[in-house]
Amino acid sequence: MKLIKGFRDIFPYSDNVIEDSVLWNFIEKSISSKLENYNFEKIITPIIENKTTFNTGIGNDTDIISKEMYEFLLYKDSQVTNDIIYCLRPEGTASTVRSYLENSLFKRRKINKLYYMGPMFRYERSQKGRYRQFYQVGAEILGSKDIFYEFELISLGVDLIKETGIDDFVVEINSIGDINSLNKLSEEVRNFTNKNKEKIQDSDFEIINKNPLRFLDKAIHKYNFEDIPKSSDFISSDSKLRFDEIINLLDKNNIKFNINHQLVRGLDYYNDLVFEIKSDSLGAQDTILAGGRYDKLVSKFGGPETFCVGFAAGIERLILLSSSDVRKKAYERIDFYVAYQKPDFKEFANEVCSRLRKIGFNVLIEYEFKNFVKQIKSADKMNSKMLITIGEEEMNAKSIKIKDMSSGKEDIIKNKNIEKDIKNISNNEK
Ligand code: ATP
Ligand code: MG
């Protein structure tokens, strides 16, 4: 029995950070709590969708649709039951928009701020920072064109990244304009690359022939073309105005960013604002978070014209970059380790545990008795914040001894007063 290539198990105490469930859990919790701070609400959609959900919006000549999707048909008695192609979702925006429309979320509220978190599937070459099942967190704002929502999203993106202790990152922004400007840019990139044929690899010409914008997304970094046409040459005055506004807002709020006029996104549905957050420390897979405005997607799905802006971030890449502080904190989960001196004291120790758990503490007790000293050593090894010991004296007095593992300070409290007295002792009140 073997795990499929590009897939991973995630379990406690793995030596590999992106397979360590304790760290995953900690980071997922801090990401969700940041999203809730910004008042985003969770949307949960199925992992399987009809293929049309994705090829309608993403674009048939993209890598995702043309070669990365896990597609399947349903069989019964060796016959295909119908001709619907299902697939494992490769990204979250199309599913969110499908659900938004099917459930008429726009009728309940004019503006919906939604987030999702979960596995995505793409059949691509697996390597560090790139897996076939990977996890994304995404945030989408549907129903408004207000520039402050664009600001809110970028600011949230930056906060999510800081939340994982990453400080070595850059925000890049660009405006790609509307469909007319993109068509013009495509045409000009095609002309430019034709004129510079001898400098460009044949394999990149395959990309250019299909869609010159993909060349900007995937291959431009390989060449040093200073004079290649850029989006800012073709955007309308409205797009330019919006771009100036977001730049202004970011500046005023001290969010650092670089303007990158060669930034285009790999999916078809974007217009005007696009942005990415990158880190050099990631090596070749340098994008942590990417997003932009996609005002045409809802109407492409048959819905009313709806202004939308969103982003998605790769959770593995966040975890790979997480700071040692965050990693350490993820392991400070245990509030109390309860150690008992003799097997006979187990029942009393267990009662203490139950009472502490009831008021919300994380409590560890080892029921398979081991030597008292070994238990005390375990408390330290497991990073427990406090150690409770129940020795002969405590047992007789029906009390417990509590030691703060960082300061070394000790207290004794009566078992019957635990709920009240523990609050004065523990530095993490529940
Ligand atoms: P890339 O250029 O790295 O292929 P992308 O443009 O395909 O990224 P998006 O579809 O915009 O990526 O997804 C947003 C984020 O999801 C990426 O910035 C990255 O952090 C993460 N991501 C995308 N594909 C993978 C993958 N195969 N494995 C791990 N993370 C991924
Ligand atoms: Mg990709």
Side-chain angles (χ1 to χ4, degrees):
M1 240 68 85
K2 240 178 153 337
L3 186 72
I4 309 173
K5 190 171 170 225
F7 289 69
R8 283 158 305 129
D9 294 319
I10 300 167
F11 51 91
Y13 301 95
S14 168
D15 292 333
N16 185 346
V17 281
I18 52 154
E19 292 173 359
D20 179 350
S21 63
V22 176
L23 185 55
W24 266 85
N25 207 25
F26 182 79
I27 288 189
E28 280 194 342
K29 271 192 193 157
S30 51
I31 290 174
S32 315
S33 106
K34 190 47 82 185
L35 282 151
E36 304 270 344
N37 282 165
Y38 275 76
N39 200 244
F40 279 74
E41 290 158 334
K42 195 165 195 172
I43 182 163
I44 303 173
T45 60
I47 284 166
I48 301 174
E49 293 268 355
N50 290 313
K51 184 180 174 184
T52 46
T53 301
F54 300 106
N55 54 1
T56 304
I58 297 174
N60 279 324
D61 64 346
T62 55
D63 285 353
I64 292 185
I65 300 297
S66 65
K67 53 186 182 202
E68 293 175 0
M69 287 235 279
Y70 283 87
E71 300 175 17
F72 53 96
L73 295 160
L74 290 184
Y75 282 83
K76 197 176 175 193
D77 302 330
S78 315
Q79 296 287 315
V80 175
T81 52
N82 56 39
D83 56 4
I84 299 173
I85 303 174
Y86 298 96
C87 64
L88 296 177
R89 63 180 186 193
E91 58 107 51
T93 303
S95 314
T96 302
V97 168
R98 196 251 329 119
S99 171
Y100 169 83
L101 272 176
E102 242 177 305
N103 298 295
S104 303
L105 298 189
F106 52 91
K107 287 191 186 148
R108 295 163 192 238
R109 257 181 312 187
K110 185 172 178 293
I111 299 165
N112 282 267
K113 287 172 48 178
L114 304 170
Y115 78 93
Y116 58 81
M117 205 173 331
M120 306 294 160
F121 303 83
R122 296 184 196 175
Y123 186 76
E124 47 187 339
R125 206 160 71 82
S126 49
Q127 53 197 289
K128 188 179 173 211
R130 194 178 288 293
Y131 315 93
R132 292 181 175 170
Q133 175 174 337
F134 61 100
Y135 290 73
Q136 275 186 341
V137 52
E140 318 280 0
I141 302 176
L142 304 100
S144 176
K145 205 181 176 180
D146 197 307
I147 207 83
F148 274 83
Y149 283 120
E150 293 185 2
F151 167 77
E152 187 177 43
L153 263 182
I154 297 177
S155 153
L156 166 66
V158 168
D159 276 0
L160 287 187
I161 291 192
K162 285 190 181 157
E163 197 70 11
T164 29
I166 305 169
D167 48 21
D168 148 40
F169 63 86
V170 286
V171 180
E172 290 195 347
I173 64 167
N174 189 23
S175 174
I176 55 174
D178 58 15
I179 195 74
N180 292 334
S181 12
L182 282 174
N183 286 342
K184 187 84 182 114
L185 177 63
S186 267
E187 198 182 306
E188 294 296 327
V189 171
R190 203 187 289 277
N191 292 339
F192 177 90
T193 47
N194 278 333
K195 270 188 223 143
N196 291 279
K197 237 185 190 120
E198 70 291 349
K199 296 183 197 146
I200 296 171
Q201 294 165 10
D202 286 350
S203 58
D204 286 336
F205 256 101
E206 280 168 34
I207 303 179
I208 295 164
N209 291 338
K210 270 201 219 157
N211 184 339
L213 295 179
R214 306 266 179 266
F215 174 72
L216 294 187
D217 187 36
K218 289 283 163 220
I220 188 73
H221 60 271
K222 291 194 240 166
Y223 306 93
N224 211 356
F225 290 136
E226 284 194 353
D227 44 352
I228 191 156
K230 46 187 190 300
S231 53
S232 50
D233 301 338
F234 309 107
I235 64 174
S236 68
S237 53
D238 268 5
S239 293
K240 172 90 178 69
L241 204 67
R242 287 189 67 84
F243 195 51
D244 289 342
E245 275 176 343
I246 185 72
I247 286 173
N248 204 1
L249 260 181
L250 292 171
D251 270 339
K252 273 197 183 137
N253 287 277
N254 299 319
I255 295 185
K256 292 197 184 65
F257 60 92
N258 295 334
I259 296 171
N260 175 359
H261 284 306
Q262 280 170 353
L263 181 69
V264 293
R265 301 279 306 117
L267 301 93
D268 267 0
Y269 50 60
Y270 290 106
N271 63 277
D272 288 293
L273 177 73
V274 291
F275 59 96
E276 289 195 354
I277 305 186
K278 297 180 176 177
S279 169
D280 278 344
S281 321
L282 266 175
Q285 302 345 307
D286 62 353
T287 308
I288 314 168
L289 179 151
R293 176 159 285 290
Y294 53 97
D295 297 333
K296 293 280 173 284
L297 191 58
V298 176
S299 45
K300 250 186 163 175
F301 275 39
E305 187 161 343
T306 309
F307 297 108
C308 303
V309 58
F311 69 68
I315 294 185
E316 286 82 357
R317 295 189 193 178
L318 287 171
I319 292 180
L320 280 168
L321 290 171
S322 59
S323 66
S324 52
D325 254 16
V326 164
R327 291 179 189 183
K328 193 166 155 264
K329 247 181 142 178
Y331 274 90
E332 288 164 4
R333 308 152 30 241
I334 301 166
D335 298 312
F336 293 100
Y337 183 103
V338 178
Y340 50 106
Q341 193 176 7
K342 290 182 178 168
D344 286 356
F345 303 171
K346 180 153 61 177
E347 212 172 304
F348 177 56
N350 190 44
E351 188 198 322
V352 171
C353 288
S354 303
R355 295 178 73 162
L356 287 172
R357 285 174 178 155
K358 234 173 229 144
I359 52 173
F361 289 107
N362 174 329
V363 187
L364 173 63
I365 179 169
E366 297 190 69
Y367 290 124
E368 295 215 355
F369 183 76
K370 61 184 186 191
N371 170 298
F372 203 29
V373 177
K374 275 196 182 151
Q375 290 182 59
I376 292 167
K377 279 192 181 145
S378 283
D380 196 36
K381 230 165 88 192
M382 300 294 293
N383 275 314
S384 181
K385 291 172 205 152
M386 316 277 277
L387 167 68
I388 290 181
T389 43
I390 300 171
E392 201 85 52
E393 248 174 74
E394 289 80 24
M395 192 62 204
N396 290 336
K398 286 276 177 271
S399 61
I400 56 175
K401 190 191 273 177
I402 304 177
K403 180 178 173 186
D404 183 317
M405 298 292 272
S406 54
S407 67
K409 187 174 170 288
E410 287 188 340
D411 285 279
I412 292 178
I413 60 174
K414 286 274 182 216
N415 182 36
K416 64 176 183 346
N417 299 335
I418 274 191
E419 288 81 0
K420 189 161 83 24
D421 290 351
I422 207 87
K423 301 228 158 88
N424 305 327
I425 293 166
S426 158
N427 47 17
N428 50 61
E429 239 176 70
K430 288 279 144 82

